[in-house]
C-alpha cells in the first residue's frame, strides 16, 4: 500500500480509482468490464447487506433465489422491458457442447423469470401479497465501465412483490423508497433526494419509478436506489391472475426495487478524502483499530495495557488490534486510514502511565484523549458524533451546490463551471427534456416529493410549469 493516492484537486477521476486500488477495495479482472471485489470492499458490501436485509425482513419480506438464466421467450413477453434491456444482455447459445434450442439470457434483472413462477403460485386473493427479495448478481453488457459504478457484472438485491390492488402496490413502492432513504441517510450518512423519475428515465416496463438521488463531491448526481410500480404490465405479459374476494378474476399488481454494489462507489465519492475512503461508524465492519507504540524497553508493559483496552472495547464494538511487529505505527496509520476505519486508538508509554488512550477520528483527524474508566461511553460518543458530522458535511455540500435557475444561458454556464444540482422549471414535455440533455448533458434526476407548487416558465421553451425539477449531470 505504499503507492500514493492522487489528490482530488489534481485529478478527481484518478483519485477515485486510486482510492479503490490502493485501498484494496477492488481490482480489475481478466474479464473486460468485470471487477474483483477484494475483502476490504466486500466487507463494506456485507455491512450494507446486513442492515438492508434486516430492514426488509422487518417489513415482512423474505429471501428467495431464482435461476441466473432466463429463456429468450420470457424476455420478449413484455415489449418495453425487452426493448430496454436487450441491447445490454449477454446470451448463452451453447450448453454442454450443443447449440441450445432456445437461447438463454443471463439475467439483467429477474422480473420475467419471477413472474413466470408467480403464475404457478398465485390463484386466489389468499395467495397475496407475495413479498420476495433476492440477493444476486446480474449482467448488463457495458461499453464504458468504472469500478463499482458501472460494471458488466454487479451484485445487488432485487425485490419483487405481487399485490391484489394498485393502491397496495403503490404503498409498497413508497415503503421501500423510504427504507432506501433511511438506509442512505442514517447508515451511509449520505443525504438523498426522494422523488419520481420522468417517463424517459423510468425503468423499462414500469408504470413509474421512484429513486433516491445523491450528490457526489464533484457535483454530479448518482442514482443510489430505485423502486418501481410495475402496474399490471408483467402480470398481463405472463398471464398472472387471481380470483378476488368478489369472485372476479383480476390481473395482479407488481413492484420491483433494487440497490447494488454501486453504493460502494457512492460511499467513496461522498465521504472519501485524499487519504482514502471513510466508512461511517454505523456501517463499518471494523469500527476501531488499536495501535500500540512501543520500544523494546517497554514492550511488555504496553502490550499488556493494550490487551486490557482491547478486551474492554470488543464487547461493545468491532475492534481490530494491530500488533504486527514488522510495521512502524506511521505505516499502520496510513494503511487503516486508506481503508476508512472510523476510529484509531493510539497507546504509548505516557498513556499507560496515565491510564488513558488517544482517540483519532478518521474524518477530521481530531485527537481526543480518553481515560480508560469510561472509555466505552467516550468511544460511543465520538462514533455517534462522527456519524452525524459526516452527514452534516455532505448535506452542507449539497446545499451549497444546489442552484435555482430561471434562465437557460445561466443554466448552461453553471453546469459548465460548477456542476451541482439545478432546480429549474420544466414544462413536462419529453422533447424539452431530451434537447436539454443533448445540449448540456444534464438530465432530470428527480421530480422531488417536496416540490413546491410554484408557477413558472420552462427553462427551455418558456411554456407554463407548476414546479421545479432537479437537473444534473449524472454518473
Ligand atoms: Zn419546455
Amino acid at each position: 500500500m505504499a503507492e500514493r493516492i492522487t489528490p482530488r484537486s489534481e485529478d478527481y477521476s484518478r483519485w477515485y480509482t486510486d482510492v479503490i486500488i490502493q485501498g484494496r477495495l477492488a481490482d480489475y479482472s481478466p474479464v473486460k468490464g468485470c471487477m474483483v471485489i477484494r475483502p476490504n470492499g466486500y466487507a463494506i458490501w456485507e455491512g450494507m447487506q446486513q442492515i438492508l436485509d434486516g430492514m426488509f425482513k422487518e417489513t415482512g419480506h423474505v429471501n428467495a433465489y431464482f435461476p441466473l438464466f432466463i429463456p429468450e421467450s420470457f424476455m420478449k413477453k413484455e415489449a418495453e422491458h425487452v426493448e430496454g434491456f436487450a441491447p445490454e444482455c449477454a446470451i448463452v447459445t451453447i450448453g454442454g457442447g450443443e447449440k441450445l434450442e432456445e437461447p438463454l439470457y443471463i439475467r439483467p434483472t429477474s422480473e420475467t423469470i419471477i413472474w413466470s413462477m408467480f403464475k404457478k403460485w398465485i390463484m386466489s386473493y389468499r395467495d397475496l401479497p407475495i413479498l420476495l427479495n433476492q440477493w444476486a448478481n446480474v449482467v448488463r453488457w457495458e461499453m464504458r465501465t468504472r469500478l463499482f459504478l458501472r460494471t458488466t457484472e454487479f451484485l445487488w438485491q432485487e425485490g419483487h412483490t405481487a399485490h391484489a390492488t394498485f393502491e397496495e402496490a403503490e404503498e409498497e413502492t413508497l415503503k421501500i423508497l423510504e427504507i432506501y432513504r433511511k438506509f442512505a441517510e442514517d447508515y451511509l450518512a449520505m443525504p438523498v433526494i426522494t422523488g419520481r423519475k420522468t417517463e424517459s428515465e423510468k425503468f423499462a416496463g414500469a408504470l413509474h419509478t421512484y429513486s433516491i438521488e445523491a450528490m457526489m463531491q464533484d457535483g454530479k448526481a448518482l442514482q443510489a436506489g430505485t423502486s418501481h410500480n410495475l402496474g399490471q404490465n408483467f402480470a398481463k405479459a405472463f398471464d398472472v391472475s387471481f380470483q378476488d374476494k368478489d369472485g372476479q378474476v383480476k390481473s395482479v399488481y407488481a413492484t420491483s426495487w433494487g440497490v447494488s454494489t454501486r453504493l460502494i462507489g457512492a460511499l467513496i465519492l461522498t465521504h472519501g478524502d485524499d487519504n482514502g475512503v471513510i466508512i461511517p461508524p454505523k456501517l463499518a465492519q471494523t469500527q476501531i483499530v488499536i495501535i500500540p507504540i512501543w520500544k523494546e524497553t517497554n514492550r511488555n508493559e504496553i502490550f499488556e495495557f493494550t490487551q486490557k483496552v482491547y478486551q474492554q472495547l470488543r464487547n461493545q464494538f468491532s475492534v481490530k488490534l494491530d500488533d504486527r511487529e514488522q510495521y512502524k505505527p506511521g505505516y499502520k496509520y496510513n494503511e487503516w486510514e486508506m481503508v476508512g476505519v472510523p476510529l484509531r486508538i493510539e497507546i504509548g508509554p505516557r498513556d499507560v502511565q496515565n491510564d488513558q488512550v488517544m482517540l483519532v477520528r478518521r474524518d477530521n483527524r481530531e485527537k481526543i484523549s480518553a481515560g480508560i474508566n469510561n472509555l466505552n461511553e467516550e468511544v460511543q460518543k465520538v462514533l455517534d458524533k462522527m456519524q452525524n458530522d459526516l452527514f452534516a458535511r455532505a448535506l452542507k455540500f449539497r446545499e451549497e451546490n444546489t442552484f435555482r435557475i430561471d434562465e437557460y444561458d445561466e443554466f448552461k454556464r453553471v453546469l459548465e463551471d460548477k456542476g451541482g444540482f439545478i432546480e429549474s422549471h420544466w414544462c413536462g414535455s419529453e422533447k424539452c427534456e431530451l434537447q436539454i440533455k443533448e445540449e448540456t448533458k444534464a438530465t432530470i434526476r428527480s421530480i422531488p416529493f417536496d416540490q413546491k407548487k410554484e408557477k413558472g416558465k420552462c427553462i427551455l421553451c418558456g411554456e407554463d410549469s407548476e414546479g421545479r425539477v432537479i437537473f444534473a449531470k449524472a454518473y
Side-chain angles (χ1 to χ4, degrees):
M1 287 202 197
E3 295 285 327
R4 159 179 173 275
I5 293 174
T6 308
R8 282 167 294 180
S9 57
E10 206 173 286
D11 185 340
Y12 191 79
S13 167
R14 184 71 200 275
W15 163 80
Y16 175 75
T17 307
D18 284 356
V19 165
I20 292 168
I21 299 293
Q22 309 299 347
R24 298 181 186 164
L25 301 180
D27 209 342
Y28 296 105
S29 85
V31 183
K32 193 170 170 282
C34 294
M35 67 176 164
V36 175
I37 306 177
R38 302 185 69 178
N40 290 339
Y42 204 78
I44 301 176
W45 183 236
E46 284 177 318
M48 291 176 173
Q49 280 187 307
Q50 278 166 23
I51 296 160
L52 278 170
D53 205 60
M55 292 170 101
F56 296 151
K57 284 174 179 160
E58 217 166 86
T59 44
H61 303 84
V62 287
N63 287 329
Y65 190 79
F66 293 81
L68 169 69
F69 303 114
I70 299 179
E72 183 174 50
S73 56
F74 286 21
M75 283 299 293
K76 290 187 166 164
K77 277 191 176 164
E78 213 289 330
E80 276 186 38
H81 190 66
V82 69
E83 195 190 316
F85 281 104
E88 52 188 42
C89 280
I91 303 165
V92 180
T93 54
I94 295 172
E98 285 181 25
K99 190 165 182 291
L100 300 177
E101 259 174 52
E102 180 177 6
L104 297 172
Y105 279 52
I106 298 182
R107 66 179 161 219
T109 177
S110 302
E111 278 78 4
T112 55
I113 189 114
I114 289 178
W115 278 84
S116 77
M117 298 310 294
F118 281 179
K119 181 176 168 54
K120 284 174 72 176
W121 300 341
I122 299 170
M123 302 292 156
S124 132
Y125 69 90
R126 294 184 198 89
D127 301 323
L128 295 170
I130 296 181
L131 307 173
L132 291 187
N133 178 60
Q134 160 167 276
W135 291 99
N137 58 341
V138 285
V139 166
R140 295 178 187 176
W141 216 258
E142 296 284 355
M143 294 305 162
R144 296 179 57 208
T145 58
R146 282 189 89 181
L147 294 168
F148 290 117
L149 296 172
R150 200 172 290 280
T151 49
T152 292
E153 180 191 11
F154 58 87
L155 304 182
W156 77 345
Q157 60 71 215
E158 52 180 318
H160 295 272
T161 67
H163 306 267
T165 66
F166 174 84
E167 288 71 27
E168 269 182 47
E170 183 65 9
E171 192 189 318
E172 167 77 8
T173 314
L174 290 167
K175 184 192 286 175
I176 293 298
L177 194 77
E178 175 56 17
I179 287 176
Y180 288 162
R181 184 202 64 76
K182 203 170 156 40
F183 172 68
E185 298 200 329
D186 294 356
Y187 292 90
L188 307 191
M190 181 172 78
V192 292
I193 286 170
T194 51
R196 186 168 167 156
K197 287 288 188 185
T198 64
E199 282 298 298
S200 67
E201 296 280 332
K202 74 176 188 188
F203 177 78
L207 223 51
H208 54 253
T209 290
Y210 300 121
S211 76
I212 53 170
E213 300 282 329
M215 185 190 287
M216 304 294 101
Q217 286 179 60
D218 59 352
K220 277 163 100 174
L222 188 139
Q223 178 177 294
T226 48
S227 182
H228 318 290
N229 186 331
L230 304 172
Q232 294 175 309
N233 292 349
F234 285 90
K236 285 183 174 151
F238 286 86
D239 190 24
V240 185
S241 53
F242 70 104
Q243 190 166 40
D244 206 350
K245 282 176 201 159
D246 57 13
Q248 296 203 6
V249 174
K250 300 172 182 171
S251 277
V252 182
Y253 290 86
T255 83
S256 70
W257 28 275
V259 299
S260 72
T261 36
R262 180 167 227 235
L263 284 176
I264 298 172
L267 191 77
I268 297 165
L269 292 166
T270 301
H271 299 306
D273 65 16
D274 290 349
N275 299 313
V277 63
I278 297 176
I279 303 176
K282 281 168 79 173
L283 176 71
Q285 296 296 89
T286 303
Q287 296 174 298
I288 303 165
V289 58
I290 302 175
I291 300 179
I293 305 157
W294 80 92
K295 294 196 192 88
E296 270 319 309
T297 50
N298 58 21
R299 185 180 182 281
N300 289 347
E301 197 186 333
I302 297 225
F303 271 48
E304 198 181 312
F305 185 82
T306 301
Q307 263 302 328
K308 194 168 123 189
V309 171
Y310 173 62
Q311 295 304 337
Q312 185 180 329
L313 287 170
R314 66 186 292 208
N315 297 324
Q316 192 177 337
F317 307 98
S318 86
V319 196
K320 278 219 164 77
L321 171 57
D322 187 353
D323 54 6
R324 290 175 297 173
E325 304 208 14
Q326 69 272 39
Y327 294 108
K328 293 219 154 58
Y331 179 91
K332 294 179 182 176
Y333 297 170
N334 287 341
E335 194 176 85
W336 291 105
E337 281 188 358
M338 210 178 262
V339 301
V341 172
L343 195 67
R344 174 169 88 226
I345 297 185
E346 303 173 2
I347 300 177
R350 223 179 318 152
D351 297 311
V352 176
Q353 266 168 30
N354 299 329
D355 255 356
Q356 66 179 36
V357 297
M358 186 62 81
L359 314 179
V360 186
R361 273 171 60 161
R362 167 65 184 88
D363 58 332
N364 58 11
R365 290 187 162 166
E366 187 190 346
K367 292 193 164 195
I368 304 142
S369 172
I372 66 159
N373 288 333
N374 59 346
L375 182 59
N376 287 38
E377 295 87 81
E378 185 61 26
V379 164
Q380 188 61 59
K381 234 185 341 186
V382 171
L383 291 176
D384 288 346
K385 179 89 173 26
M386 179 176 162
Q387 181 81 31
N388 292 336
D389 288 354
L390 283 172
F391 180 81
R393 185 171 73 174
L395 184 61
K396 182 163 175 275
F397 180 83
R398 188 183 81 191
E399 281 166 356
E400 286 170 354
N401 290 283
T402 299
F403 310 100
R404 290 166 79 86
I405 294 177
D406 294 316
E407 215 262 311
Y408 194 48
D409 281 336
E410 194 193 350
F411 180 100
K412 284 191 276 193
R413 189 169 48 76
V414 168
L415 267 175
E416 196 59 40
D417 297 350
K418 303 185 202 167
F421 286 0
I422 298 184
E423 299 171 340
S424 288
H425 279 282
W426 169 58
C427 61
S429 91
E430 196 166 307
K431 186 167 164 279
C432 285
E433 184 186 7
L434 295 179
Q435 192 180 329
I436 292 170
K437 183 179 177 181
E438 213 172 275
E439 291 176 2
T440 68
K441 294 197 176 72
T443 48
I444 298 175
R445 304 313 306 162
S446 182
I447 305 167
F449 287 155
D450 66 358
Q451 186 194 51
K452 289 178 191 65
K453 278 252 172 254
E454 177 195 287
K455 291 230 174 298
K457 302 286 180 199
C458 175
I459 189 85
L460 187 69
C461 73
E463 290 288 319
D464 287 343
S465 146
E466 297 288 317
R468 292 172 188 272
V469 297
I470 293 165
F471 287 91
K473 290 185 190 169
Y475 276 97

